[in-house]
Amino acid sequence: MPDRKKIQIEEIEQRLLLDGIFHRYQYDFRNYAQASIKRSLDFAMEAFGCKTISQLQDRVLRDPTEVTVLLDYLTIQVSAFFRDPRYFLSLRKEVVPFLRTYPFLKIWIAGCSTGEEVYSTAIMLYEEGLLERSLIYATDINSKALRTAEQGIYDSSRVQEFKENYHKAGGKHDLSQYYTERYGSIVFNKDLKRNFVFADHSLATDSVFSEMHLVSCRNVLIYFNNELQNRAIELFLHSLCYRGFLGLGSKEALRFLSQADYFEEFVQKDRIYRKKLPC
C-alpha cells in the first residue's frame, strides 16, 4: 500500500512549488491536470538530482535560469509536421472554402510548441492561395520552444515521416520544395514566415488579443483541469469572429464544457467546431 502520509506531503509540496513559480515568475501551472504535473515533476527531479519537490522548489525559486529548464518538463513539447494528417485534410477540404470568403485572415495556433503545426498550416494556406492574405499568430509559454519555431530549423531524421503526413494531409507538391536540407537539418523557407507573429501567451493568465477566423489548439487542453479548459475555450470563444472555426486535438472535445452551446460540431471526427452564437 502507498504511504498516505508521504503522498499528502508530496501534494502539499507540489502546490507550494506551483504557487511559488506563479508568484515568482508568473507562469501559472496551478490548474493543470495534477497527474500530468506530477509525472513531469518526477522526471524533472531526476534530471535536477533532487530527492524532494521542496529541494526542486529551492533551486527554481532562487535561480531564474533553473525555471527555464523546468519549463521543458512542465510544457509538453511533442509535435510533428501535419500531425494527425486527417485533421489538416479536413481543414483543406471543409474549412478552407469558407476561409476564402474573407478578404483577410487571422489564424491563431495556440500552444504552438516548436512550430511544426505553424509551418504545416502555412504550407496548406500557400497551396490554397491564402497565405499572402493571412496573418498567423503562433503562441506558447515556453520561450525556448518559440525560438525554435521562429528559426524553422528541424532535425532531418524525421523527414520521411513528415513527407508521409504531408501527402496524407492532401499535400499538392513535394514537401522538400518548402525547405533546404543541410548538415543534418531542414531549414524552412523564409517566405513561409513572412506572415507569422510569434509571441509569449498563456492560456492560464493572458487575455484575447485579436479577432480570429480560425483558432487551432490541439493536444493542449488534455493537460488542463476542467476549470482551465473552460478558461481557454472562453478565450477562443471571444477571440473568434462570428462563424469562425476552432480546431482541437483528437482526444479533446467541448461536450462537457460550459461554452459548448456556443459551438456546433463542424467536422466531428476531426474535432473541428464552428462558432454559432454571438457571445
Side-chain angles (χ1 to χ4, degrees), residues 11-26:
E11 289 173 348
I12 293 170
E13 286 181 312
Q14 182 169 308
R15 287 197 300 271
L16 290 173
L17 171 62
L18 299 184
D19 280 340
I21 291 172
F22 173 68
H23 291 293
R24 176 79 164 87
Y25 302 109
Q26 288 73 59

Side-chain angles (χ1 to χ4, degrees), residues 176-279:
S176 62
Q177 81 173 57
Y178 300 107
Y179 64 80
T180 302
E181 189 166 359
R182 60 180 70 160
Y183 306 116
S185 297
I186 57 174
V187 183
F188 275 83
N189 301 342
K190 291 182 179 179
D191 287 349
L192 287 175
K193 299 192 283 186
R194 283 189 296 181
N195 297 348
F196 290 177
V197 176
F198 292 99
D200 186 305
H201 183 277
S202 170
L203 297 174
T205 57
D206 293 329
S207 58
V208 170
F209 55 88
S210 188
E211 185 177 66
M212 304 292 169
H213 300 91
L214 167 66
V215 174
S216 189
C217 181
R218 303 171 63 226
N219 307 302
V220 175
L221 298 185
I222 54 175
Y223 299 107
F224 295 172
N225 67 12
N226 186 258
E227 179 182 343
L228 188 50
Q229 287 177 352
N230 275 300
R231 186 188 195 280
I233 297 300
E234 185 82 14
L235 285 180
F236 302 151
L237 174 65
H238 288 284
S239 179
L240 282 168
C241 66
Y242 178 60
R243 305 300 284 161
F245 295 91
L246 171 65
L248 300 180
S250 60
K251 296 180 181 179
E252 299 166 332
L254 298 180
R255 187 177 308 162
F256 301 110
L257 298 181
S258 58
Q259 302 85 2
D261 290 342
Y262 288 93
F263 293 91
E264 63 186 12
E265 292 182 337
F266 188 72
V267 184
Q268 191 276 332
K269 66 182 184 297
D270 294 314
R271 300 296 192 267
I272 298 174
Y273 299 85
R274 196 174 191 191
K275 185 176 174 179
K276 67 179 181 179
L277 295 171
C279 53

Side-chain angles (χ1 to χ4, degrees), residues 38-88:
K38 184 182 185 307
R39 286 193 299 272
S40 298
L41 290 177
D42 286 342
F43 287 121
M45 284 192 294
E46 183 177 351
F48 278 80
C50 296
K51 293 183 178 180
T52 66
I53 297 176
S54 293
Q55 290 179 359
L56 180 62
Q57 175 182 296
D58 184 67
R59 288 182 58 175
V60 168
L61 296 187
R62 293 179 185 277
D63 185 351
T65 63
E66 299 280 42
V67 77
T68 304
V69 179
L70 182 60
L71 279 179
D72 286 337
Y73 293 92
L74 296 180
T75 58
I76 310 299
Q77 306 300 322
V78 177
S79 190
F81 288 94
F82 295 95
R83 183 182 182 185
D84 300 325
R86 199 175 70 177
Y87 170 80
F88 285 95

